[in-house]
């Protein structure tokens, strides 16, 4: 398991108010202003999607969805986002088995090939840093990181931040509880970066000890001004959190099944009892999904559970907005 990289070299081109043609690799490229610009458009996109308004905003464009790792939500919502806006997709799932990658083609060559056929490439990959590598290989089209190993998952964080913003009307002065595989969860890594763009945010991290943030990353992220507090048990959960963000143990990131089984016993699960005991009245319960041992299905009835409601739907709207901006159509 490698540590996540937060060196200056990791910082891709900043958005600086102009999304057109930019690679979207890390949350570090965004400013508050960029997020608000995206959120304003997201609100318009919600109207299009909810009312099935025909749109030709992306007509004439083709986006490659190049997914080296399995995905339901990210793949499905990117495909739906593009189609809702009249664009087309080139869908490549498991390129290792269905493309020339099988014959030994290099990653860079595959990227160069698909950029010849499309206006943008949405990439999911199991290796941390793959999105940056793809962005360096691509000459003409933007790369959108749909999750690279245990590194980052910027579009998930954009929808998570939008969900928080919609709920609380602000992105500062929030207290969150982030639970599960803090070491490997790319959604947590990007979310901490995103929250650190705003003032006075606090996150409590609850994970098995072996799945804590590496010390170096803990220090570097804390230095951004966000307060990060590690806790070790459910008893330490503060009762005034604005949101809980539960993640599964990322089985596929472990070196062996034995390794995974060693920590799989020490996981935390949301139950109606835990909600009643520790969750505040106005908090929201989030999960990037898939739900694997994270939240008991009986919690779904709780109005505070947004993972299969607004959180998942916002993934569609935010990706519609992001694509429209990156492809220079909005
Ligand atoms: C997440 C991912 O792939 O990182 N899923 C998603 O995109 N919504 C979380 C996970 O797989 O656990």
């Amino acid at each position: 398991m490698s540590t996540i990289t937060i060196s200056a070299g990791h910082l891709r081109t900043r958005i600086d108010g102009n999304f057109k043609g930019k690679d979207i690799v890390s949350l570090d490229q965004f400013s508050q202003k960029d997020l608000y610009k995206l959120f304003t458009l997201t609100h318009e996109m919600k109207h299009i999607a909810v009312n099935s308004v025909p749109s030709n905003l992306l007509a004439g464009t083709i986006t490659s969805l190049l997914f080296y790792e399995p995905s339901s939500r990210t793949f499905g919502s990117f495909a739906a986002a593009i189609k809702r806006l009249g664009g087309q997709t080139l869908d490549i799932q498991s390129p290792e088995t269905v493309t020339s990658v099988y014959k030994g083609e290099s990653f860079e060559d595959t990227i160069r090939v698909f950029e010849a056929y499309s206006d943008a490439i949405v990439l999911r990959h199991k290796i941390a840093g793959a999105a940056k590598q793809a962005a360096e290989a691509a000459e003409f089209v933007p790369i959108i990181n749909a999750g690279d190993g245990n590194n980052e998952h910027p579009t998930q964080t954009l929808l998570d931040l939008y969900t928080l913003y919609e709920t609380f009307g602000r992105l500062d002065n929030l207290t969150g509880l982030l639970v599960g595989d803090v070491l490997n969860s790319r959604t947590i890594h990007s979310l901490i970066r995103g929250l650190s763009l705003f003032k006075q945010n606090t996150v409590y991290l609850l994970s098995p000890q072996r799945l804590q943030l590496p010390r170096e990353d803990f220090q570097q992220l804390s230095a951004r001004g966000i307060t990060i507090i590690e806790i070790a048990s459910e008893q330490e959960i503060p009762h005034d959190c604005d949101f809980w963000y539960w993640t599964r143990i990322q089985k596929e990131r472990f070196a062996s099944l034995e390794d995974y089984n060693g920590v799989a016993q020490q996981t935390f699960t949301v139950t109606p009892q835990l909600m009643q005991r520790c969750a505040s009245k106005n908090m929201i319960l989030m999960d990037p999904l898939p739900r694997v041992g994270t939240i008991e299905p009986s919690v779904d009835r709780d109005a505070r559970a947004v993972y299969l409601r607004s959180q998942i739907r916002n993934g569609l709207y935010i990706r519609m907005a992001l694509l429209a901006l990156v492809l220079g159509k909005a």
Side-chain angles (χ1 to χ4, degrees):
M1 283 178 267
S2 57
T3 57
I4 53 173
T5 320
I6 314 176
S7 65
H10 183 68
L11 193 71
R12 302 290 305 167
T13 320
R14 295 191 63 84
I15 308 290
D16 257 338
N18 179 16
F19 288 74
K20 188 176 173 185
K22 301 255 170 84
D23 303 309
I24 306 294
V25 173
S26 166
L27 240 292
D28 291 349
Q29 296 171 255
F30 289 79
S31 65
Q32 287 190 16
K33 228 173 124 198
D34 298 327
L35 290 174
Y36 291 134
K37 178 171 176 163
L38 182 70
F39 291 172
T40 304
L41 190 60
T42 300
H43 191 68
E44 290 174 35
M45 295 298 163
K46 182 173 178 175
H47 172 76
I48 292 178
V50 169
N51 299 294
S52 303
V53 178
S55 167
N56 280 326
L57 203 58
L58 294 185
T61 68
I62 297 179
T63 300
S64 291
L65 304 179
L66 192 55
F67 276 57
Y68 287 77
E69 259 190 346
S71 167
S72 321
R73 276 147 298 276
T74 310
F75 186 87
S77 62
F78 265 112
I82 292 159
K83 287 168 181 161
R84 285 264 179 218
L85 295 176
Q88 301 205 57
T89 60
L90 200 50
D91 302 344
I92 308 113
Q93 281 177 297
S94 305
E96 302 89 332
T97 51
V98 300
T99 71
S100 289
V101 174
Y102 179 74
K103 303 178 195 162
E105 183 172 68
S106 74
F107 179 60
E108 279 80 2
D109 281 5
T110 305
I111 296 295
R112 297 287 298 274
V113 168
F114 284 99
E115 76 166 334
Y117 303 146
S118 49
D119 303 286
I121 297 175
V122 176
L123 176 78
R124 166 162 291 195
H125 205 283
K126 50 183 158 298
I127 298 174
K132 179 169 177 272
Q133 198 184 336
E136 278 157 8
E139 281 184 0
F140 306 105
V141 309
I143 302 291
I144 299 179
N145 184 2
D148 62 325
N150 67 355
N151 184 34
E152 280 211 59
H153 194 344
T155 61
Q156 176 70 41
T157 292
L158 296 173
L159 79 91
D160 292 337
L161 292 176
Y162 184 73
T163 303
L164 290 169
Y165 186 64
E166 240 194 350
T167 308
F168 299 108
R170 63 176 200 278
L171 284 171
D172 55 9
N173 279 290
L174 291 173
T175 300
L177 170 70
L178 314 186
V179 184
D181 194 343
V182 178
L183 174 66
N184 293 304
S185 170
R186 54 195 175 201
T187 64
I188 287 186
H189 302 158
S190 287
L191 185 55
I192 296 176
R193 286 181 162 92
L195 288 167
S196 69
L197 293 172
F198 298 84
K199 287 203 182 355
Q200 306 213 302
N201 285 324
T202 301
V203 288
Y204 288 83
L205 305 182
L206 172 60
S207 67
Q209 211 204 340
R210 280 200 42 219
L211 300 180
Q212 285 182 332
L213 274 183
R215 292 309 80 190
E216 197 191 328
D217 296 332
F218 178 87
Q219 272 150 22
Q220 290 194 41
L221 288 167
S222 299
R224 296 169 173 223
I226 183 167
T227 305
I228 306 179
I229 301 166
E230 291 177 314
I231 58 175
S233 71
E234 285 176 356
Q235 284 70 41
E236 293 171 76
I237 296 175
H239 291 196
D240 61 348
C241 287
D242 298 301
F243 67 96
W244 290 2
Y245 192 94
W246 231 267
T247 65
R248 71 185 171 95
I249 307 298
Q250 308 268 308
K251 189 175 183 180
E252 67 274 34
R253 310 279 175 237
F254 286 77
S256 69
L257 194 59
E258 209 184 354
D259 247 17
Y260 167 75
N261 287 336
V263 286
Q265 320 303 330
Q266 310 158 35
T267 54
F268 305 93
T269 305
V270 184
T271 60
Q273 294 73 26
L274 188 70
M275 289 291 282
Q276 204 188 1
R277 216 171 52 242
C278 305
S280 81
K281 201 161 69 36
N282 297 318
M283 60 82 79
I284 56 171
L285 173 59
M286 305 170 78
D287 183 332
L289 304 175
R291 157 167 51 181
V292 183
T294 52
I295 302 171
E296 275 189 8
S298 53
V299 176
D300 298 0
R301 285 194 299 271
D302 193 309
R304 295 168 291 182
V306 299
Y307 39 89
L308 288 169
R309 298 188 178 113
S310 58
Q311 189 184 3
I312 193 159
R313 287 168 190 276
N314 287 338
L316 172 64
Y317 316 144
I318 207 99
R319 290 180 173 116
M320 289 166 76
L322 185 70
L323 283 157
L325 288 166
V326 168
L327 289 170
K329 305 291 184 189

